[in-house]
């Protein structure tokens, strides 16, 4: 999606500011209350897009980890192992399949190659460089992982998310989350989502200034930050 392809919906400050502040306050409480090697997260509603804008149903981070061993790569496409049906319920399987469909669509549209071992498509090299002023990312079947090996890289992402037009053009999962609905409605929802994500990323980085970090964003719109080991 090119920059400027979605009409920017004007969002009243009275609506936007409480949303961002609420996300910041809740993320701060969690960041202060956990050790440096744990994930600092806000409440679930601060890490999702609205149900009307999601591409998929919602899988939790723990569910994604549980499903991952059952996802394999065949002919450069993601697919579920046949024995997954005896392990997971129909709702979970449906949500996983929607994620796989989205990931396979991304692979096809962008002419990517999936590594069958890591099950990832690294569109940028040096995703775990010692220092990089730009954020980099790797795609997986569930979404994208964004790497920040410097404060400059975090600032770059915050800048992109701070501009609604650029936000739609962020590489990987973030740029594909809002493709349905009316242009103005999507832009308004995206503005709130990008603002909350930006505030959360800034706060997490400020709480872990001496660590390199990464942020996972799945196709349901859920996101979380972690320490890069």
């Amino acid at each position: 999606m090119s920059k400027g392809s979605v009409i920017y919906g004007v969002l009243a400050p009275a609506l936007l500011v409480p949303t961002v502040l609420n996300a910041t306050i809740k993320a701060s409480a969690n960041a202060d209350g956990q050790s440096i090697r744990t994930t600092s997260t806000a409440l679930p509603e601060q890490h999702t897009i609205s149900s009307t804008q999601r591409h998929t149903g919602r899988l939790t981070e723990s569910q994604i980890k549980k499903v991952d061993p059952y996802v394999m790569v065949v002919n450069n496409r993601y697919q579920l192992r046949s024995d997954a049906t005896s392990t997971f319920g129909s709702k979970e399987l449906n949500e996983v399949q929607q994620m796989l469909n989205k990931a396979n669509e991304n692979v096809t549209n962008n002419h990517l190659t999936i590594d069958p071992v890591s099950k990832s498509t690294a569109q940028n090299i040096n995703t775990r460089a010692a220092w990089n002023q730009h954020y980099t990312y790797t795609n997986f079947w569930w979404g994208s992982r964004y790497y920040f090996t410097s404060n400059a890289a975090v600032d770059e992402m915050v800048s992109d998310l701070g501009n609604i037009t650029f936000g739609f053009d962020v590489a990987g999962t973030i740029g594909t989350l809002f493709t349905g609905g009316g242009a103005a409605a999507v832009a308004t929802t995206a503005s709130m989502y990008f603002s909350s994500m930006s505030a959360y990323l800034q706060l997490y980085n400020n709480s872990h200034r001496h660590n390199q970090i990464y942020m996972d964003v799945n196709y349901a719109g859920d996101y979380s930050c972690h320490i890069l080991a």
Side-chain angles (χ1 to χ4, degrees), residues 189-202:
T189 303
S191 178
M192 297 174 65
Y193 176 79
F194 292 153
S195 294
S196 294
M197 177 184 284
S198 176
Y200 170 72
L201 175 60
Q202 282 183 294

Side-chain angles (χ1 to χ4, degrees), residues 71-224:
V71 175
M72 58 184 180
V73 180
V74 179
N75 295 326
N76 203 43
R77 291 184 64 80
Y78 294 109
Q79 69 178 49
L80 273 174
R81 284 172 24 190
S82 58
D83 57 345
T85 57
S86 61
T87 306
F88 304 98
S90 58
K91 182 179 179 180
E92 285 180 309
L93 291 174
N94 181 61
E95 292 169 355
V96 171
Q97 191 58 57
Q98 289 186 63
M99 283 188 169
L100 296 181
N101 291 343
K102 186 63 180 177
N104 286 329
E105 178 184 344
N106 183 50
V107 168
T108 300
N109 291 343
N110 293 286
H111 309 288
L112 306 177
T113 299
I114 308 172
D115 184 320
V117 178
S118 66
K119 291 180 282 190
S120 67
T121 58
Q123 292 182 276
N124 296 108
I125 60 174
N126 297 325
T127 54
R128 303 187 188 190
W131 188 91
N132 193 333
Q133 64 177 325
H134 303 294
Y135 65 84
T136 56
Y137 70 101
T138 301
N139 291 323
F140 297 89
W141 66 267
W142 45 262
S144 298
R145 175 165 292 173
Y146 296 88
Y147 300 92
F148 306 94
T149 60
S150 68
N151 292 323
V154 173
D155 291 341
E156 181 182 50
M157 173 67 83
V158 168
S159 177
D160 285 351
L161 294 174
N163 184 312
I164 185 68
T165 303
F166 293 161
F168 280 111
D169 209 36
V170 172
T173 302
I174 293 175
T176 67
L177 286 173
F178 301 89
T179 57
V186 170
T188 299
T189 303
S191 178
M192 297 174 65
Y193 176 79
F194 292 153
S195 294
S196 294
M197 177 184 284
S198 176
Y200 170 72
L201 175 60
Q202 282 183 294
L203 185 65
Y204 190 88
N205 184 58
N206 288 339
S207 300
H208 302 81
R209 300 293 290 184
H210 302 295
N211 298 93
Q212 295 182 339
I213 65 175
Y214 65 91
M215 179 170 67
D216 286 344
V217 184
N218 66 35
Y219 285 120
D222 297 332
Y223 55 88
S224 61

